[in-house]
Amino acid sequence: MGVCQRLALTPGEPAGLGPDLCVRLAQLPQQHQLVAVADPQLLRERAALLGLPLELLPLVDAEPPRPAAPGQLWIDPLPLCAPVQCGRLDPANAPYVLATLERAAQGCLDGRFAALVTAPVHKGVINDAGIPFSGHTEFLQALTGVDAVVMMLATAGLRVALVTTHLPLSAVPAAITRERIARVARILDHDLRHRFGLAAPRILVCGLNPHAGEGGHLGREEIEVIEPALAELRGEGIDLVGPLPADTLFTPRLLQGADAVLAMYHDQGLPVLKHQGFGAAVNITLGMPIIRTSVDHGTALDLAGTGRGELGSLQTAVACAAEMVDAASPSRP
């Protein structure tokens, strides 16, 4: 285990499950200093609703990081814009949600925090507030000033990164270009080396079409786009296997010895990963100058304040963030 890290934790949509998960996480022994960037009263009210003890500890930047005891949570306070009712979205609190993200991410850029762990936000209510918002990833990409990021989900024994993310299926083939494949693969290879400490990562690449196009009989994207892109990248020293048929790539024989899978579109790779590890998977944003992990589920408005809902994904996100910090440490052998 590495040294104690100071990790920023954003509870996400205040009417959703995120605040519950933060309170419940605070009941467990911790190895790192988890700092909730949130409204203190929101967390106190949710703890009372759940019948759980919660002592909020004010963050002092000058002090070295140390874990809180069970029932305690470090806090970097930001006030809500409006009162919160469990399960009821309120556009008035959209600026608060974005303010927590901005403070936490800026804290990572400034060195206050070693990494950022995010609970789910609700894109719709932020847009209902008149604020254009397409998601955590795009918001953090703009805030950190990078040209491209990569979405990767991970669970025990499997990492899946995506060439395209939230596109209609009809728009995917046109979006699969040599340039896009090269950009995503380079980021994936770089971060597997520098964020996960893998000296020579091996990446399996899905084809786009059934049977990876079957020699052009089921589509020519593999021949005309994917294979030339992979050949160029192999010339740069990136270890890529494929394009492989997606229906047989996700088998133990092929996955053995692989460090990640590169899928062409969202529902090609993520159903397999979520089947294997739902509730214990983590969403990781690659390509940014900060480390960011997130849960693999949504706001679960119907579960807010009930004490139900799986805690495993948030625990996994925290553990993954800390492992990435440790792997990226200059002192790592």
Side-chain angles (χ1 to χ4, degrees):
M1 186 187 75
V3 299
C4 178
Q5 307 292 348
R6 179 172 289 153
L7 309 176
L9 176 62
T10 55
E13 167 53 47
L17 187 64
D20 298 49
L21 298 180
C22 293
V23 171
R24 289 171 56 196
L25 187 64
Q27 308 306 309
L28 304 176
Q30 301 297 327
Q31 298 178 350
H32 301 282
Q33 185 179 45
L34 304 182
V35 182
V37 182
D39 186 300
Q41 190 59 27
L42 168 66
L43 297 178
R44 292 190 186 101
E45 290 175 356
R46 199 60 60 90
L49 193 61
L50 297 174
L52 295 174
L54 184 66
E55 179 187 1
L56 296 177
L57 307 174
L59 175 65
V60 180
D61 288 324
E63 295 179 353
R66 61 182 176 88
Q72 297 178 331
L73 182 64
W74 298 92
I75 187 78
D76 188 3
L78 262 177
L80 283 162
C81 300
V84 170
Q85 182 174 339
C86 287
R88 181 169 294 180
L89 296 170
D90 186 348
N93 275 319
Y96 158 79
V97 172
L98 297 184
T100 64
L101 284 176
E102 185 168 2
R103 178 179 290 186
Q106 190 61 50
C108 291
L109 290 170
D110 295 341
R112 294 182 68 217
F113 304 118
L116 167 61
V117 180
T118 61
V121 298
H122 194 286
K123 293 188 272 293
V125 74
I126 297 174
N127 283 283
D128 289 344
I131 305 171
F133 181 81
S134 54
H136 267 125
T137 303
E138 295 81 3
F139 181 84
L140 294 171
Q141 178 184 353
L143 186 67
T144 57
V146 295
D147 294 330
V149 294
V150 172
M151 178 179 174
M152 182 175 81
L153 269 74
T155 192
L158 183 60
R159 302 182 184 99
V160 177
L162 302 176
V163 175
T164 64
T165 52
H166 300 120
L167 290 179
L169 194 56
S170 61
V172 169
I176 302 295
T177 64
R178 295 188 194 184
E179 294 76 17
R180 189 168 194 156
I181 292 169
R183 182 170 64 244
V184 170
R186 288 177 183 128
I187 291 172
L188 176 59
D189 178 74
H190 177 276
D191 279 19
L192 288 173
R193 293 172 187 269
H194 297 281
R195 298 293 198 196
F196 292 87
L198 301 174
R202 186 172 180 82
I203 302 166
L204 306 186
V205 182
C206 296
L208 174 65
N209 296 295
H211 302 179
E214 203 162 287
H217 295 288
L218 293 176
R220 297 193 57 81
E221 286 86 356
E222 286 77 12
I223 295 171
E224 296 175 359
V225 179
I226 301 174
E227 290 177 358
L230 300 188
E232 177 185 350
L233 292 162
R234 291 188 191 106
E236 299 173 10
I238 301 177
D239 187 356
L240 299 163
V241 181
L244 300 171
D247 65 340
T248 54
L249 182 155
F250 290 100
T251 56
R253 181 181 66 84
L254 287 175
L255 289 175
Q256 185 176 14
D259 296 298
V261 172
L262 182 57
M264 291 294 126
Y265 57 95
H266 188 280
D267 281 14
Q268 182 182 56
L270 297 194
V272 181
L273 183 135
K274 292 193 176 186
H275 173 74
Q276 178 167 319
F278 191 74
V282 56
N283 187 340
I284 306 163
T285 306
L286 306 179
M288 295 193 299
I290 67 173
I291 292 170
R292 180 258 174 161
T293 66
S294 187
V295 295
D296 68 346
H297 57 76
T299 53
L301 295 167
D302 58 320
L303 298 179
T306 68
R308 303 196 307 273
E310 294 293 332
L311 186 58
S313 185
L314 183 60
Q315 291 177 289
T316 305
V318 169
C320 181
E323 290 167 6
M324 290 173 70
V325 173
D326 187 46
S329 171
S331 61
R332 182 183 172 90

